[in-house]
Amino acid sequence: TLPRQICMYLMRRYCNLSYPEIGRRFGRHHTTALHSDRVIQDQLADNAGLRAAIVLIEKELLRSAEGSG
């Protein structure tokens, strides 16, 4: 569940997709995307490990985007 929630959070943040679109891409209801985004946002304040993991993922995504463009 957590990896999917992180992906949904990042898609919302970086891809400018609506919750219904994110849900469709995962074969889920839009409320699942909304819940995932909120769960991750709530946990970022208190969970240093999650925060660090997301920072690493973001850096890798940005590095990949720079390399492909």
Side-chain angles (χ1 to χ4, degrees), residues 6-17:
I6 292 170
C7 288
M8 289 181 170
Y9 165 81
L10 291 171
M11 288 178 76
R12 179 72 176 168
R13 186 164 180 206
Y14 288 102
C15 299
N16 197 30
L17 297 175

Side-chain angles (χ1 to χ4, degrees), residues 15-29:
C15 299
N16 197 30
L17 297 175
S18 67
Y19 292 118
E21 181 59 29
I22 294 168
R24 274 193 293 278
R25 291 178 184 228
F26 281 87
R28 305 285 178 163
H29 195 263

Side-chain angles (χ1 to χ4, degrees), residues 20-38:
E21 181 59 29
I22 294 168
R24 274 193 293 278
R25 291 178 184 228
F26 281 87
R28 305 285 178 163
H29 195 263
H30 75 275
T31 57
T32 301
L34 174 64
H35 175 74
S36 295
D37 186 44
R38 287 181 178 168

Side-chain angles (χ1 to χ4, degrees), residues 10 14 54 56-67:
L10 291 171
Y14 288 102
I54 289 178
L56 287 174
I57 294 167
E58 289 170 329
K59 285 180 182 179
E60 183 61 28
L61 289 171
L62 293 172
R63 189 180 68 77
S64 295
E66 289 172 355

